[in-house]
Amino acid sequence: MKKIYHLSTCDTCQRIIKELQPLDGFELQDIKTEAMTIGQVEEMHQLSKSYEALFSKRARLYREKGLNKKQLSETDFKNLILEHYTFLKRPVILIDGQIFIGNSKKVVEAAKAAIHS
């Protein structure tokens, strides 16, 4: 499976998608307009082995809800990601059993290498 979970309104996501071109055979899912299913989030978890790794602590809601002051469990991270798309660290790139999470230069380079190898 080749898929990218992203936000079409996120400039960083759009820049990374352009950088990864060509994306032949990839499905792009805008998580704001097409909500992630429990199955999709669980698939990401199977590959990453951690809901916390999928969770964005930079999300505005993270501080607004005071979550930064709480000890969150893996179940909490899962439920928050399912509750609101902003909690998913973006983009999430799935390539044939591999997962690349976030927008760090190292992650983007690794994803690019996997796509074009």
Side-chain angles (χ1 to χ4, degrees), residues 13-86:
C13 286
Q14 296 313 306
R15 176 186 52 78
I16 291 168
I17 289 170
K18 274 186 187 155
E19 194 176 323
L20 296 175
Q21 297 292 334
L23 290 171
D24 300 329
F26 271 83
E27 179 185 343
L28 294 160
Q29 181 172 336
D30 182 347
I31 59 174
K32 186 174 184 177
T33 59
E34 185 184 343
M36 295 172 292
T37 65
I38 292 172
Q40 289 172 326
V41 173
E42 287 174 349
E43 178 186 24
M44 288 184 246
H45 176 259
Q46 280 183 333
L47 295 171
S48 69
K49 307 287 189 246
S50 167
Y51 288 109
E52 186 174 6
L54 294 164
F55 189 85
S56 174
K57 293 181 179 175
R58 297 171 113 187
R60 187 177 299 144
L61 282 179
Y62 181 65
R63 289 198 180 279
E64 285 178 9
K65 290 185 166 211
L67 300 172
N68 57 325
K69 295 181 173 98
K70 295 181 180 175
Q71 190 71 29
L72 299 174
S73 68
E74 278 288 289
T75 303
D76 294 330
F77 288 121
K78 175 185 177 181
N79 291 335
L80 287 162
I81 290 168
L82 287 166
E83 176 186 311
H84 201 282
Y85 65 87
T86 195

Side-chain angles (χ1 to χ4, degrees), residues 69-115:
K69 295 181 173 98
K70 295 181 180 175
Q71 190 71 29
L72 299 174
S73 68
E74 278 288 289
T75 303
D76 294 330
F77 288 121
K78 175 185 177 181
N79 291 335
L80 287 162
I81 290 168
L82 287 166
E83 176 186 311
H84 201 282
Y85 65 87
T86 195
F87 288 122
L88 182 70
K89 191 183 286 185
R90 302 172 303 271
V92 174
I93 304 164
L94 304 179
I95 307 167
D96 302 325
Q98 297 178 77
I99 189 166
F100 303 90
I101 305 164
N103 57 30
S104 75
K105 192 171 191 133
K106 184 178 175 184
V107 168
V108 174
E109 288 302 317
K112 193 188 297 186
I115 290 169

